[in-house]
Amino acid sequence: MAENKEKLFDMFPPVSAEEWRAKVDADLKGAPFDKKLVWRTNEGFNVNPMYRREDIADLATTDSLPGEFPYVRGTRSNNDWRIRQEIIAGTAAEANAKIREVMTKGVNSIGWHMQDVNAEAVATLLNGIDLSAIEINLSSCVRKAEELVRLLAAYLVNANATDLFQGSVKFNPWKRELKHGTKTPLDPVAAAKSIIEAAAPVKGLRVLTVESAMFTNGGAYIYQELGYALSWGAQWMTMLTDAGLDADTIASRIKFDMGISTNYFMELAKFRAARMLWAQIVAQYAPACECSAKMMVHAATSKYNQSIFDAHVNLLRSQTEAMSAALAGVDSISVTPFDAAYKTPDDFSERIARNQQLLLKEESHLDKVVDPAGGSYYVETLTVSLANEAWKLFLEVEAEGGFAKALENGKIQAAVNESNAKRHDDMARRKEILLGTNQYPNITEFAAEKIEGESCGCGCGCGHEEQENKNGGINTTRLASDFENLRLATERAANRPKVFMLTIGNLAMRLARSQFSGNFFGCAGYEIIDNNGFATVAEGIDAAMAAKADVVVLCSSDDEYAEFAPEAFKLLNGKAEFVVAGAPACAEELKAAGIENFIHVRSNVLETLRNFNAKLLR
């Protein structure tokens, strides 16, 4: 059979960007292109609806290969990331047993917070563990970090396992400042030098932490996490080279613990941009080996986006988050169990979290391709655009004296809290959506009984509890928390308010508005009573009274409200709260008649529901 060498695309003439734009403008029929199709990101730049080859023609980021400086395409020649699980255990013996168990279930990296740091605990923890098969990442209270490094290094030397070990001990002298706005009483330079000295026998031990996941879990925008992470890393490099250490030694001991939000493509671009920018930063310190500029990144799915209600939606969020990081070529990933927002994760949720990554590897084969997004017009453009915004922020922090100085002045904490407040406000107005929380809630669900408290119990500020910080630290209240408080207040009240849909008139409009109103009031956990429609307003009011409704929502068309709304309001006669679904042209006339409540797409959902809670709950 003769080989068919016909190039099918040669049959089609090339189409220029100008021709595409002319076609789009024609289809928009006069609507402005920039307002309809161009997306303004929270990261400070615009995203177009379409990208072409010419958009990346001048980008230097497309010239390198995976494993080549500046590592935008990855630091390795493979994409075999480590699957990490955070171990929940009270003692070293319990942690050891848990590690042995999860190693048989696909985990090859663990994290554990040690409260009791001593030689016996380290030996018990690592007893019988094949250190060539698993990465060990430990943390403790910051004042115990040096002792932990020394004990770990001594154990590995005695076990002749220094060449096998891969992992980290978290040393974050700025954690208290970030969490509580107060400084840790130690000299970070002296402590870091001592810790690096203690780690010297173990080449694969990272001990200088850049814990930028704290920014993600505080509601920071993506460019902020990246910009502050770079500044944090540069702080380590600057202060320790000034203290006499060489750049290669310092860089080889730094590990970035970064967060992952649900902005899928932007997160993918973030990790690519992070490697590129970090490589360029390290290069300025003139390391002897170019390999020292490789960034080691652990990525953890977000806690900030998790919800208590409809908690299984957390699985969807964490799955796309993990997928972003995997495709971006990070070194290890931990998936936060779906129930972590309201309880200590159990065996089931931990198994699901492990399996989420196993699916990405064993079913989707994402580990088989290095930098699959490389060359994508969209992702390459995002990478550079995000890098530019993060770099601006990095330069701002450096101009003000660097990361530590900005923390001391409270500027970083204030900036992250400002973003958090903005996102909570966007959540209240449904400009940012969490399915099951401020949109499409499961109105039959009750959650108060499943909520448990959590604290590390050591009093050092190392706990993982959610906090609204008013003392200068980062506010870590989750995005869903405001709406959850509404629903929990409804659950705990003596009465559950009933919202009755008085549907009448135009079929399409009454159906659409009753659905909108049910979702609206469902966000507060109210009982929703929907209807197929009434022939008259009086019939609807009678039905509402028979149902003992606390709120009656009139659902019809704008044109019909001028007639139906005054009649319904008069017949109801204050026996229940009266609401008009929509923002009709006759709203001012209706307000003059005494009607006060209107709900529509521009409403502040949270504020409106808080007002109803204040009126209805007892």
Side-chain angles (χ1 to χ4, degrees):
M1 183 176 178
E3 184 180 356
N4 187 350
K5 295 184 178 180
E6 183 179 8
K7 296 181 179 180
L8 298 179
F9 283 104
D10 289 345
M11 298 178 181
F12 302 97
V15 180
S16 67
E18 291 74 17
E19 289 175 291
W20 274 110
R21 178 61 185 267
K23 175 60 177 171
V24 171
D25 286 339
D27 289 345
L28 287 174
K29 298 178 181 178
F33 177 89
D34 289 341
K35 289 187 177 180
K36 286 290 183 181
L37 297 180
V38 176
W39 167 38
R40 181 68 177 178
T41 70
N42 290 320
E43 318 315 318
F45 57 88
N46 291 338
V47 172
N48 292 319
M50 179 186 70
Y51 289 93
R52 293 164 54 91
R53 182 181 300 171
E54 54 261 36
D55 290 311
I56 67 168
D58 298 326
L59 299 183
T61 56
T62 60
D63 293 340
S64 64
L65 295 174
E68 292 183 357
F69 187 92
Y71 310 114
V72 64
R73 302 202 61 198
T75 59
R76 311 184 303 277
S77 59
N78 63 66
N79 194 31
D80 191 18
W81 75 90
R82 291 182 183 270
I83 297 175
R84 176 165 158 178
Q85 179 171 329
E86 304 304 321
I87 299 299
I88 300 172
T91 68
E94 292 171 355
N96 175 272
K98 191 69 174 284
I99 294 169
R100 289 169 176 265
E101 176 191 356
V102 299
M103 285 181 68
T104 67
K105 298 178 179 179
V107 169
N108 54 10
S109 175
I110 64 95
W112 187 51
H113 181 81
M114 296 185 70
Q115 293 189 35
D116 298 321
V117 176
N118 53 65
E120 182 181 358
V122 171
T124 300
L125 174 70
L126 299 180
N127 181 42
I129 302 295
D130 182 358
L131 294 178
S132 66
I134 192 164
E135 180 187 69
I136 304 292
N137 301 281
L138 303 176
S139 63
S140 65
C141 293
V142 65
R143 62 180 180 270
K144 298 180 181 178
E146 181 181 345
E147 181 183 2
L148 178 55
V149 171
R150 291 192 183 280
L151 292 172
L152 177 62
Y155 174 88
L156 296 172
V157 169
N158 291 335
N160 197 28
T162 55
D163 293 336
L164 297 177
F165 184 87
Q166 294 292 321
S168 65
V169 170
K170 185 177 291 186
F171 175 57
N172 177 3
W174 297 289
K175 187 164 190 173
R176 178 180 288 273
E177 216 162 344
L178 285 163
K179 286 179 70 70
H180 305 295
T182 57
K183 297 185 72 170
T184 299
L186 57 76
D187 178 357
V189 176
K193 287 185 68 176
S194 295
I195 287 172
I196 289 174
E197 178 186 355
V202 189
K203 182 179 179 182
L205 176 57
R206 302 263 173 165
V207 292
L208 304 178
T209 300
V210 175
E211 198 174 355
S212 65
M214 296 181 71
F215 303 129
T216 298
N217 290 322
Y221 293 119
I222 294 171
Y223 83 97
Q224 289 179 308
E225 187 203 1
L226 179 51
Y228 292 141
L230 295 170
S231 183
W232 192 335
Q235 180 72 57
W236 281 127
M237 295 296 297
T238 298
M239 70 184 194
L240 291 174
T241 51
D242 288 348
L245 298 183
D246 65 89
D248 297 88
T249 296
I250 303 163
S252 67
R253 298 297 180 180
I254 296 175
K255 185 169 187 175
F256 287 76
D257 287 348
M258 304 185 76
I260 325 167
S261 73
T262 50
N263 194 330
Y264 179 76
F265 284 107
M266 197 75 76
E267 286 290 349
L268 201 166
K270 178 187 77 178
F271 292 110
R272 301 176 86 246
R275 288 193 298 266
M276 175 181 69
L277 295 177
W278 178 243
Q280 294 170 351
I281 289 172
V282 173
Q284 301 308 305
Y285 294 87
C289 179
E290 193 176 70
C291 61
S292 297
K294 291 182 178 181
M295 185 186 213
M296 177 169 280
V297 180
H298 169 67
T301 63
S302 175
K303 298 176 183 177
Y304 184 73
N305 293 328
Q306 285 200 325
S307 60
I308 294 173
F309 288 90
D310 217 349
H312 289 99
V313 179
N314 294 331
L315 293 169
L316 304 180
R317 298 182 186 118
S318 59
Q319 190 70 12
T320 60
E321 291 168 6
M323 188 173 177
S324 294
L327 292 174
V330 302
D331 297 287
S332 59
I333 302 172
S334 58
V335 172
T336 304
F338 74 88
D339 55 356
Y342 56 88
K343 61 175 290 191
T344 300
D346 55 26
D347 290 342
F348 174 74
S349 62
E350 288 183 334
R351 177 169 66 87
I352 294 297
R354 288 192 299 269
N355 289 349
Q356 286 180 259
Q357 290 198 65
L358 292 173
L359 284 171
L360 295 180
K361 279 196 173 188
E362 306 302 330
E363 299 289 340
S364 302
H365 303 299
L366 299 191
D367 59 333
K368 299 297 189 289
V369 181
V370 184
D371 190 30
S376 161
Y377 306 151
Y378 179 46
V379 176
E380 293 287 4
T381 305
L382 276 187
T383 300
V384 173
S385 298
L386 184 56
N388 288 336
E389 296 304 317
W391 191 250
K392 291 177 187 176
L393 182 59
F394 169 78
L395 293 178
E396 287 176 14
V397 176
E398 293 305 296
E400 294 176 357
F403 181 78
K405 188 68 174 179
L407 278 185
E408 184 179 345
N409 294 335
K411 291 189 175 182
I412 292 176
Q413 300 95 314
V416 173
N417 287 342
E418 183 179 348
S419 296
N420 192 346
K422 173 65 165 58
R423 293 186 65 184
H424 274 264
D425 185 64
D426 286 347
M427 180 79 170
R429 300 173 186 276
R430 284 182 174 169
K431 292 182 179 179
E432 186 161 351
I433 300 294
L434 281 184
L435 292 180
T437 300
N438 69 340
Q439 186 70 287
Y440 305 121
N442 177 1
I443 61 174
T444 65
E445 181 182 8
F446 299 91
E449 292 184 357
K450 70 180 183 182
I451 298 173
E452 301 174 2
E454 183 186 47
S455 174
C456 76
C458 63
C460 67
C462 296
H464 307 293
E465 63 274 7
E466 184 181 336
Q467 62 181 14
E468 182 177 0
N469 205 311
K470 298 179 180 179
N471 300 315
I474 291 177
N475 180 356
T476 57
T477 52
R478 291 173 296 104
L479 196 56
S481 60
D482 295 325
F483 282 90
E484 290 168 350
N485 289 336
L486 282 175
R487 290 196 66 168
L488 292 171
T490 300
E491 282 190 39
R492 291 162 179 156
N495 62 307
R496 183 187 182 196
K498 296 180 179 181
V499 180
F500 186 92
M501 303 299 160
L502 200 168
T503 53
I504 188 170
N506 182 287
L507 179 61
M509 291 305 300
R510 79 190 192 204
L511 289 176
R513 281 178 163 160
S514 66
Q515 183 183 51
F516 170 84
S517 301
N519 282 328
F520 192 104
F521 284 100
C523 292
Y526 296 172
E527 180 182 347
I528 307 300
I529 305 172
D530 207 348
N531 299 281
N532 292 327
F534 298 96
T536 67
V537 170
E539 181 185 335
I541 294 297
D542 289 342
M545 293 299 94
K548 298 181 179 180
D550 298 285
V551 180
V552 175
V553 184
L554 182 63
C555 301
S556 189
S557 65
D558 287 0
D559 294 339
E560 293 169 303
Y561 279 143
E563 174 188 352
F564 292 151
E567 181 183 0
F569 182 67
K570 184 177 180 180
L571 289 172
L572 193 59
N573 194 28
K575 296 174 184 176
E577 294 292 328
F578 182 68
V579 179
V580 173
C586 63
E588 291 305 317
E589 289 81 358
L590 298 181
K591 290 177 183 178
I595 299 171
E596 299 177 348
N597 300 313
F598 298 81
I599 59 171
H600 45 79
V601 293
R602 293 184 298 278
S603 295
N604 185 315
V605 183
L606 180 66
E607 181 180 330
T608 303
L609 293 176
R610 279 175 172 167
N611 290 335
F612 276 102
N613 264 16
K615 296 176 184 178
L616 300 174
L617 299 188
R618 57 184 184 274

